[in-house]
Amino acid sequence: MSKPAKTSKPNNEFTLGPEDNFDDDFNDTNDNDSNWKLTKESDNDDDDNDDDGPDDSLWDEARKEAASTKTREEERIAREKLLQDQAAHAADEREKDAKAEGDRRKALLLEEQRKNDLVAQELDRKTINERNQLKEQARQERDKISAHVDMDYQRELITNFENSYQMSGSGSPSSDFGF
């Protein structure tokens, strides 16, 4: 087994072994000198009209496209917010209209119930009045009848009754009926 190679790095860094020098893999000997540049350096940053080549026109087009995309996005968001506000307002209006319609129907039902109650009370009152009038008429008719007895008519009725049951002429009524 071979021992890992010692490096001359300070003690506060990790020692990875023989592969600890990754800078050699990238052929980059100076860490401060980088060939990766993201923007083009210019002497005058305030001058936006510089046309230094096709890269600038592409960047300008990209910026314009980004600005128009941003503007369209803001307009879309504003339209969506407006539509949401309109939908919320319409919902509020529908809710108000529904409450008003419910209140109107409730008032109509209460009015109809009140009318029905009045009609029922009037009918009850008429019924009671008719009943009282019928009672009074019956009382008056009863009072018109006089209690008199025609005694002659009663005697004649009894005599006819007794004569109709005398069959054999015997004095005993039980023998007349076959007892």
mmCIF file of all heavy atoms in Angstrom, residues 149-178:
data_model
loop_
_atom_site.group_PDB
_atom_site.id
_atom_site.type_symbol
_atom_site.label_atom_id
_atom_site.label_comp_id
_atom_site.label_asym_id
_atom_site.label_seq_id
_atom_site.Cartn_x
_atom_site.Cartn_y
_atom_site.Cartn_z
ATOM 1 N N VAL A 149 -152.996 20.778 27.782
ATOM 2 C CA VAL A 149 -153.449 19.402 27.591
ATOM 3 C C VAL A 149 -154.958 19.444 27.370
ATOM 4 O O VAL A 149 -155.699 20.048 28.145
ATOM 5 C CB VAL A 149 -153.108 18.537 28.816
ATOM 6 C CG1 VAL A 149 -153.644 17.133 28.650
ATOM 7 C CG2 VAL A 149 -151.624 18.549 29.063
ATOM 8 N N ASP A 150 -155.385 18.783 26.316
ATOM 9 C CA ASP A 150 -156.819 18.663 26.037
ATOM 10 C C ASP A 150 -157.290 17.377 26.704
ATOM 11 O O ASP A 150 -157.052 16.281 26.208
ATOM 12 C CB ASP A 150 -157.025 18.620 24.526
ATOM 13 C CG ASP A 150 -158.488 18.638 24.139
ATOM 14 O OD1 ASP A 150 -159.325 18.790 25.040
ATOM 15 O OD2 ASP A 150 -158.782 18.507 22.943
ATOM 16 N N MET A 151 -157.927 17.508 27.823
ATOM 17 C CA MET A 151 -158.304 16.352 28.632
ATOM 18 C C MET A 151 -159.398 15.526 27.966
ATOM 19 O O MET A 151 -159.387 14.305 28.063
ATOM 20 C CB MET A 151 -158.770 16.818 30.011
ATOM 21 C CG MET A 151 -157.651 17.422 30.845
ATOM 22 S SD MET A 151 -156.248 16.347 31.033
ATOM 23 C CE MET A 151 -156.831 15.256 32.266
ATOM 24 N N ASP A 152 -160.273 16.153 27.244
ATOM 25 C CA ASP A 152 -161.320 15.387 26.560
ATOM 26 C C ASP A 152 -160.706 14.493 25.489
ATOM 27 O O ASP A 152 -161.077 13.329 25.337
ATOM 28 C CB ASP A 152 -162.356 16.329 25.915
ATOM 29 C CG ASP A 152 -163.167 17.087 26.968
ATOM 30 O OD1 ASP A 152 -163.297 16.540 28.069
ATOM 31 O OD2 ASP A 152 -163.604 18.201 26.657
ATOM 32 N N TYR A 153 -159.765 15.021 24.780
ATOM 33 C CA TYR A 153 -159.100 14.250 23.736
ATOM 34 C C TYR A 153 -158.321 13.097 24.363
ATOM 35 O O TYR A 153 -158.331 11.990 23.831
ATOM 36 C CB TYR A 153 -158.182 15.175 22.920
ATOM 37 C CG TYR A 153 -157.396 14.444 21.873
ATOM 38 C CD1 TYR A 153 -158.026 13.943 20.732
ATOM 39 C CD2 TYR A 153 -156.032 14.228 22.025
ATOM 40 C CE1 TYR A 153 -157.290 13.266 19.788
ATOM 41 C CE2 TYR A 153 -155.293 13.551 21.076
ATOM 42 C CZ TYR A 153 -155.932 13.079 19.954
ATOM 43 O OH TYR A 153 -155.203 12.386 19.002
ATOM 44 N N GLN A 154 -157.723 13.315 25.488
ATOM 45 C CA GLN A 154 -156.940 12.280 26.161
ATOM 46 C C GLN A 154 -157.868 11.150 26.648
ATOM 47 O O GLN A 154 -157.544 9.983 26.503
ATOM 48 C CB GLN A 154 -156.185 12.883 27.354
ATOM 49 C CG GLN A 154 -155.069 13.818 26.970
ATOM 50 C CD GLN A 154 -153.953 13.109 26.247
ATOM 51 O OE1 GLN A 154 -153.628 11.956 26.542
ATOM 52 N NE2 GLN A 154 -153.390 13.808 25.258
ATOM 53 N N ARG A 155 -159.041 11.481 27.193
ATOM 54 C CA ARG A 155 -159.987 10.461 27.666
ATOM 55 C C ARG A 155 -160.474 9.607 26.513
ATOM 56 O O ARG A 155 -160.560 8.374 26.610
ATOM 57 C CB ARG A 155 -161.186 11.139 28.332
ATOM 58 C CG ARG A 155 -161.105 11.072 29.799
ATOM 59 C CD ARG A 155 -162.348 11.619 30.444
ATOM 60 N NE ARG A 155 -161.904 12.704 31.289
ATOM 61 C CZ ARG A 155 -162.259 13.952 31.231
ATOM 62 N NH1 ARG A 155 -163.141 14.348 30.372
ATOM 63 N NH2 ARG A 155 -161.771 14.822 32.041
ATOM 64 N N GLU A 156 -160.766 10.254 25.423
ATOM 65 C CA GLU A 156 -161.255 9.543 24.249
ATOM 66 C C GLU A 156 -160.169 8.621 23.700
ATOM 67 O O GLU A 156 -160.444 7.479 23.292
ATOM 68 C CB GLU A 156 -161.665 10.570 23.190
ATOM 69 C CG GLU A 156 -162.417 9.977 22.036
ATOM 70 C CD GLU A 156 -162.829 11.073 21.058
ATOM 71 O OE1 GLU A 156 -163.266 12.144 21.463
ATOM 72 O OE2 GLU A 156 -162.643 10.824 19.852
ATOM 73 N N LEU A 157 -158.947 9.048 23.702
ATOM 74 C CA LEU A 157 -157.827 8.242 23.229
ATOM 75 C C LEU A 157 -157.648 7.000 24.102
ATOM 76 O O LEU A 157 -157.459 5.887 23.581
ATOM 77 C CB LEU A 157 -156.552 9.100 23.225
ATOM 78 C CG LEU A 157 -155.306 8.474 22.660
ATOM 79 C CD1 LEU A 157 -155.470 8.203 21.180
ATOM 80 C CD2 LEU A 157 -154.110 9.363 22.909
ATOM 81 N N ILE A 158 -157.735 7.128 25.383
ATOM 82 C CA ILE A 158 -157.569 6.007 26.304
ATOM 83 C C ILE A 158 -158.739 5.022 26.139
ATOM 84 O O ILE A 158 -158.536 3.808 26.133
ATOM 85 C CB ILE A 158 -157.463 6.506 27.765
ATOM 86 C CG1 ILE A 158 -156.186 7.314 27.953
ATOM 87 C CG2 ILE A 158 -157.507 5.339 28.747
ATOM 88 C CD1 ILE A 158 -154.937 6.527 27.815
ATOM 89 N N THR A 159 -159.910 5.531 25.965
ATOM 90 C CA THR A 159 -161.086 4.661 25.807
ATOM 91 C C THR A 159 -160.953 3.850 24.525
ATOM 92 O O THR A 159 -161.194 2.634 24.511
ATOM 93 C CB THR A 159 -162.377 5.500 25.760
ATOM 94 O OG1 THR A 159 -162.452 6.325 26.905
ATOM 95 C CG2 THR A 159 -163.614 4.613 25.708
ATOM 96 N N ASN A 160 -160.533 4.465 23.477
ATOM 97 C CA ASN A 160 -160.330 3.752 22.211
ATOM 98 C C ASN A 160 -159.233 2.699 22.356
ATOM 99 O O ASN A 160 -159.338 1.605 21.786
ATOM 100 C CB ASN A 160 -159.962 4.709 21.091
ATOM 101 C CG ASN A 160 -161.139 5.538 20.627
ATOM 102 O OD1 ASN A 160 -162.298 5.133 20.827
ATOM 103 N ND2 ASN A 160 -160.848 6.689 20.039
ATOM 104 N N PHE A 161 -158.250 2.995 23.078
ATOM 105 C CA PHE A 161 -157.144 2.073 23.294
ATOM 106 C C PHE A 161 -157.614 0.847 24.072
ATOM 107 O O PHE A 161 -157.280 -0.289 23.725
ATOM 108 C CB PHE A 161 -156.002 2.807 24.025
ATOM 109 C CG PHE A 161 -154.811 1.951 24.269
ATOM 110 C CD1 PHE A 161 -153.998 1.542 23.226
ATOM 111 C CD2 PHE A 161 -154.503 1.523 25.556
ATOM 112 C CE1 PHE A 161 -152.908 0.754 23.462
ATOM 113 C CE2 PHE A 161 -153.418 0.736 25.788
ATOM 114 C CZ PHE A 161 -152.598 0.343 24.742
ATOM 115 N N GLU A 162 -158.383 1.087 25.129
ATOM 116 C CA GLU A 162 -158.865 -0.015 25.957
ATOM 117 C C GLU A 162 -159.850 -0.890 25.185
ATOM 118 O O GLU A 162 -159.843 -2.116 25.303
ATOM 119 C CB GLU A 162 -159.536 0.506 27.216
ATOM 120 C CG GLU A 162 -158.548 1.035 28.207
ATOM 121 C CD GLU A 162 -159.230 1.666 29.432
ATOM 122 O OE1 GLU A 162 -160.461 1.791 29.454
ATOM 123 O OE2 GLU A 162 -158.496 2.021 30.349
ATOM 124 N N ASN A 163 -160.636 -0.275 24.377
ATOM 125 C CA ASN A 163 -161.631 -1.048 23.616
ATOM 126 C C ASN A 163 -160.951 -1.893 22.537
ATOM 127 O O ASN A 163 -161.450 -2.954 22.169
ATOM 128 C CB ASN A 163 -162.657 -0.130 22.966
ATOM 129 C CG ASN A 163 -163.618 0.441 23.990
ATOM 130 O OD1 ASN A 163 -163.789 -0.135 25.051
ATOM 131 N ND2 ASN A 163 -164.221 1.560 23.661
ATOM 132 N N SER A 164 -159.876 -1.465 22.035
ATOM 133 C CA SER A 164 -159.215 -2.232 20.989
ATOM 134 C C SER A 164 -158.552 -3.501 21.537
ATOM 135 O O SER A 164 -158.334 -4.446 20.802
ATOM 136 C CB SER A 164 -158.168 -1.375 20.282
ATOM 137 O OG SER A 164 -157.127 -1.084 21.152
ATOM 138 N N TYR A 165 -158.332 -3.587 22.848
ATOM 139 C CA TYR A 165 -157.686 -4.763 23.438
ATOM 140 C C TYR A 165 -158.679 -5.682 24.174
ATOM 141 O O TYR A 165 -158.259 -6.659 24.739
ATOM 142 C CB TYR A 165 -156.582 -4.323 24.415
ATOM 143 C CG TYR A 165 -155.340 -3.881 23.667
ATOM 144 C CD1 TYR A 165 -154.952 -2.557 23.666
ATOM 145 C CD2 TYR A 165 -154.588 -4.804 22.990
ATOM 146 C CE1 TYR A 165 -153.841 -2.150 23.001
ATOM 147 C CE2 TYR A 165 -153.469 -4.386 22.305
ATOM 148 C CZ TYR A 165 -153.079 -3.062 22.304
ATOM 149 O OH TYR A 165 -151.978 -2.658 21.626
ATOM 150 N N GLN A 166 -159.901 -5.405 24.141
ATOM 151 C CA GLN A 166 -160.884 -6.295 24.792
ATOM 152 C C GLN A 166 -161.346 -7.334 23.790
ATOM 153 O O GLN A 166 -162.184 -7.088 22.940
ATOM 154 C CB GLN A 166 -162.080 -5.502 25.297
ATOM 155 C CG GLN A 166 -161.733 -4.637 26.446
ATOM 156 C CD GLN A 166 -162.947 -3.868 26.949
ATOM 157 O OE1 GLN A 166 -164.043 -4.002 26.421
ATOM 158 N NE2 GLN A 166 -162.719 -3.084 27.971
ATOM 159 N N MET A 167 -160.864 -8.515 23.890
ATOM 160 C CA MET A 167 -161.171 -9.558 22.921
ATOM 161 C C MET A 167 -162.284 -10.499 23.431
ATOM 162 O O MET A 167 -163.245 -10.734 22.754
ATOM 163 C CB MET A 167 -159.933 -10.376 22.654
ATOM 164 C CG MET A 167 -158.845 -9.631 22.019
ATOM 165 S SD MET A 167 -157.588 -10.812 21.766
ATOM 166 C CE MET A 167 -156.439 -9.887 20.978
ATOM 167 N N SER A 168 -162.102 -11.048 24.544
ATOM 168 C CA SER A 168 -163.087 -12.015 25.026
ATOM 169 C C SER A 168 -164.037 -11.406 26.020
ATOM 170 O O SER A 168 -164.994 -12.028 26.425
ATOM 171 C CB SER A 168 -162.378 -13.220 25.624
ATOM 172 O OG SER A 168 -161.640 -12.825 26.750
ATOM 173 N N GLY A 169 -163.781 -10.299 26.422
ATOM 174 C CA GLY A 169 -164.658 -9.610 27.343
ATOM 175 C C GLY A 169 -164.443 -9.994 28.767
ATOM 176 O O GLY A 169 -165.238 -9.708 29.629
ATOM 177 N N SER A 170 -163.437 -10.681 29.097
ATOM 178 C CA SER A 170 -163.195 -11.048 30.462
ATOM 179 C C SER A 170 -162.696 -9.863 31.232
ATOM 180 O O SER A 170 -162.197 -8.906 30.670
ATOM 181 C CB SER A 170 -162.243 -12.219 30.548
ATOM 182 O OG SER A 170 -160.953 -11.788 30.205
ATOM 183 N N GLY A 171 -162.801 -9.956 32.551
ATOM 184 C CA GLY A 171 -162.396 -8.857 33.384
ATOM 185 C C GLY A 171 -160.927 -8.838 33.634
ATOM 186 O O GLY A 171 -160.383 -7.819 34.095
ATOM 187 N N SER A 172 -160.229 -9.862 33.308
ATOM 188 C CA SER A 172 -158.809 -9.940 33.611
ATOM 189 C C SER A 172 -158.002 -9.654 32.337
ATOM 190 O O SER A 172 -158.183 -10.336 31.332
ATOM 191 C CB SER A 172 -158.499 -11.334 34.139
ATOM 192 O OG SER A 172 -157.129 -11.496 34.232
ATOM 193 N N PRO A 173 -157.197 -8.674 32.437
ATOM 194 C CA PRO A 173 -156.433 -8.365 31.227
ATOM 195 C C PRO A 173 -155.421 -9.451 30.891
ATOM 196 O O PRO A 173 -155.086 -9.639 29.732
ATOM 197 C CB PRO A 173 -155.689 -7.068 31.546
ATOM 198 C CG PRO A 173 -155.917 -6.789 32.959
ATOM 199 C CD PRO A 173 -156.945 -7.734 33.484
ATOM 200 N N SER A 174 -154.954 -10.243 31.847
ATOM 201 C CA SER A 174 -153.954 -11.252 31.540
ATOM 202 C C SER A 174 -154.545 -12.377 30.734
ATOM 203 O O SER A 174 -153.863 -12.977 29.914
ATOM 204 C CB SER A 174 -153.302 -11.765 32.825
ATOM 205 O OG SER A 174 -154.279 -12.377 33.616
ATOM 206 N N SER A 175 -155.835 -12.673 30.908
ATOM 207 C CA SER A 175 -156.453 -13.737 30.163
ATOM 208 C C SER A 175 -156.707 -13.293 28.733
ATOM 209 O O SER A 175 -156.801 -14.118 27.840
ATOM 210 C CB SER A 175 -157.761 -14.189 30.806
ATOM 211 O OG SER A 175 -158.662 -13.119 30.826
ATOM 212 N N ASP A 176 -156.846 -12.005 28.540
ATOM 213 C CA ASP A 176 -157.040 -11.513 27.176
ATOM 214 C C ASP A 176 -155.804 -11.774 26.309
ATOM 215 O O ASP A 176 -155.918 -11.963 25.090
ATOM 216 C CB ASP A 176 -157.297 -10.006 27.169
ATOM 217 C CG ASP A 176 -158.652 -9.637 27.775
ATOM 218 O OD1 ASP A 176 -159.481 -10.541 27.858
ATOM 219 O OD2 ASP A 176 -158.800 -8.457 28.126
ATOM 220 N N PHE A 177 -154.658 -11.828 26.925
ATOM 221 C CA PHE A 177 -153.419 -12.018 26.169
ATOM 222 C C PHE A 177 -152.974 -13.462 26.177
ATOM 223 O O PHE A 177 -151.913 -13.774 25.683
ATOM 224 C CB PHE A 177 -152.318 -11.117 26.719
ATOM 225 C CG PHE A 177 -152.612 -9.660 26.513
ATOM 226 C CD1 PHE A 177 -153.020 -8.851 27.557
ATOM 227 C CD2 PHE A 177 -152.497 -9.086 25.242
ATOM 228 C CE1 PHE A 177 -153.273 -7.516 27.368
ATOM 229 C CE2 PHE A 177 -152.786 -7.763 25.071
ATOM 230 C CZ PHE A 177 -153.162 -6.964 26.114
ATOM 231 N N GLY A 178 -153.713 -14.382 26.730
ATOM 232 C CA GLY A 178 -153.415 -15.789 26.693
ATOM 233 C C GLY A 178 -152.494 -16.270 27.770
ATOM 234 O O GLY A 178 -151.842 -17.288 27.643
#
